[in-house]
Amino acid sequence: MGNCFVIMGFGEKTDFQSNPQRVLNLNRTYEDIIKPVVEEAGQTCVRADEIIHSTVIDKPMYDNLLSADLVIADLSTANVNAVYELGIRHALRPQRTIVLAENNFSFPFDLNHLSILKYEHLGKEIGFKEVMRVRRELTKKITTLMDSPEPDSPVFLFIPSLQPASLPKAQAIVAAGPPAPSSAPTDQKSFAELLASFRAEKDGVKAPEDWAIPLALLKRLKTMQPDDPYILQQLALATYKFQQPDKKTSLINAKNILNALAPQASSDAETVGLWGAIHKRLWEEIANPEDLDEAVRAHARLIEVGRDGNAVKWMEDTQRPVEEAGRPVDALTGSKHDSKSRRQ
């Protein structure tokens, strides 16, 4: 379980950039959007006013800006403290910083190039539909950033030779609560509850970006049962279906996840089928002959056990371009039979 530090104002703050000026209840953004999404992603969530400290707030704030696994900054009402703290985070860490702002926020020039998630605040409240929309968008951003090696800090983007700051034994200060147990932290929901939530979310997937929430739930399930074959299979599936940060990287990540199940020697049809599907898509994406080899071998094994009728058609469709390239399909599968015998 990671930790998220939230940079923002709290309580009711005047938005001096609005015309006419408005008062925004920023606690609604934190309590209705940010905190539920972060905790649903399996991370602890703390804002500056929740930090336990015996000194001035500055030290634990800087500790968190450096050591937090994720930082979310809401710049609404042009809060100068939040903008300053965001700059510190960008100078300290190359990745895992998300920026939000209310629609009326006027971006300074140096912030114009940042990817900023904008939302509509009604003043006292945020509308239900807007809350749900922003939750979905924030979930996608967290899921994507936590696995991405790419810098989101402009400092590290434009000065790639810069090394991230670090301190020995730096520890983030967590929110008020009971002392932490000596054992590894557990999820707030049971395995069965998370599994039911995953299946419900998976049933509602209609587009690649919809896989963000199922993927986040699977990662929490994996922390509970890291070697469960079903969880690893579904995690590989969701990873390549999500297509983030791009299609090629998502496929490679999915392949690495599935490697834990020894797919090249496995007799499990689901594992072998996923292995073949991943390499088939990698072949279509980057045209690496090794991926084609793996895809054909996996599909051939499925045909042998009678578990994939589509595999026959795919191999026949693949035979022509492969043979035109001078690489007979039978040579790839290791079979001594011709295609006619294989179909029989």
Side-chain angles (χ1 to χ4, degrees):
M1 181 182 292
N3 63 305
C4 172
F5 183 53
V6 180
I7 299 170
M8 66 183 302
F10 40 90
E12 295 188 346
K13 293 289 186 290
T14 302
D15 181 8
F16 292 102
Q17 292 184 329
S18 299
N19 188 14
Q21 292 178 3
R22 301 179 304 154
V23 174
L24 305 184
N25 186 345
L26 298 179
N27 286 347
R28 297 277 57 81
T29 306
Y30 180 64
E31 295 170 7
D32 297 347
I33 296 175
I34 298 174
K35 191 161 190 170
V37 169
V38 170
E39 292 181 343
E40 187 67 24
Q43 300 201 40
T44 59
C45 186
V46 60
R47 194 171 60 173
D49 58 316
E50 299 172 327
I51 292 177
I52 303 172
H53 61 96
S54 58
T55 61
V56 291
I57 186 61
D58 300 67
K59 185 183 186 307
M61 179 195 72
Y62 287 122
D63 284 342
N64 276 274
L65 289 173
L66 170 62
S67 60
D69 298 302
L70 172 69
V71 164
I72 297 177
D74 186 346
L75 306 183
S76 300
T77 71
N79 187 303
V80 292
N81 289 325
V83 175
Y84 175 74
E85 291 162 20
L86 173 62
I88 293 172
R89 171 68 176 190
H90 278 161
L92 294 174
R93 294 286 294 271
Q95 296 123 347
R96 300 180 181 177
T97 303
I98 296 174
V99 184
L100 289 78
E102 203 272 335
N103 282 338
N104 287 334
F105 177 71
S106 179
F107 300 100
F109 175 79
D110 286 342
L111 297 181
N112 277 337
H113 56 279
L114 294 181
S115 173
I116 299 179
L117 175 55
K118 301 190 72 174
Y119 67 95
E120 180 181 10
H121 202 304
L122 301 178
K124 295 286 186 182
E125 300 287 342
I126 304 173
F128 175 77
K129 287 186 177 180
E130 181 69 349
V131 166
M132 300 310 291
R133 181 191 73 82
V134 182
R135 279 189 184 186
R136 287 193 297 271
E137 293 300 316
L138 186 56
T139 297
K140 293 174 190 175
K141 281 184 172 288
I142 292 174
T143 303
T144 301
L145 285 184
M146 295 307 289
D147 289 332
S148 175
E150 297 300 318
D152 49 60
S153 160
V155 179
F156 288 87
L157 182 63
F158 294 113
I159 312 177
S161 60
L162 191 64
Q163 295 300 310
S166 63
L167 287 174
K169 300 181 181 179
Q171 296 179 346
I173 309 301
V174 300
S182 57
S183 59
T186 57
D187 204 286
Q188 295 177 346
K189 292 185 178 181
S190 70
F191 186 88
E193 289 173 324
L194 286 175
L195 188 59
S197 296
F198 158 69
R199 286 172 171 161
E201 292 290 345
K202 181 183 176 183
D203 288 343
V205 168
K206 293 182 173 63
E209 59 267 21
D210 296 338
W211 283 97
I213 294 176
L215 188 56
L217 290 168
L218 283 166
K219 289 178 180 178
R220 293 167 66 184
L221 286 163
K222 186 175 181 292
T223 63
M224 296 180 178
Q225 296 190 19
D227 301 320
D228 187 301
Y230 175 77
I231 299 303
L232 292 173
Q233 290 166 353
Q234 295 301 307
L235 186 59
L237 175 69
T239 297
Y240 87 72
K241 290 282 190 180
F242 188 38
Q243 298 182 7
Q244 296 294 331
D246 55 68
K247 191 177 292 186
K248 173 186 170 183
T249 304
S250 69
L251 287 164
I252 292 172
N253 290 340
K255 181 180 73 171
N256 292 336
I257 292 168
L258 209 59
N259 262 324
L261 298 178
Q264 292 167 313
S266 175
S267 58
D268 182 87
E270 184 70 19
T271 298
V272 176
L274 279 168
W275 187 251
I278 290 167
H279 282 281
K280 171 179 175 288
R281 286 163 174 78
L282 274 171
W283 158 252
E284 293 168 347
E285 189 69 19
I286 60 178
N288 184 341
E290 292 180 2
D291 292 314
L292 181 61
D293 289 357
E294 285 294 335
V296 171
R297 278 194 287 265
H299 283 77
R301 287 166 62 198
L302 290 176
I303 293 170
E304 288 174 4
V305 297
R307 293 296 300 271
D308 191 352
N310 293 327
V312 176
K313 183 178 185 303
W314 180 80
M315 287 182 65
E316 290 175 342
D317 291 344
T318 304
Q319 181 175 3
R320 179 179 299 174
V322 172
E323 290 183 339
E324 287 175 355
R327 306 176 72 246
V329 172
D330 288 334
L332 294 176
T333 63
S335 171
K336 295 181 180 179
H337 303 291
D338 60 19
S339 59
K340 181 179 178 180
S341 300
R342 195 167 56 248
R343 288 196 295 274
Q344 291 174 343

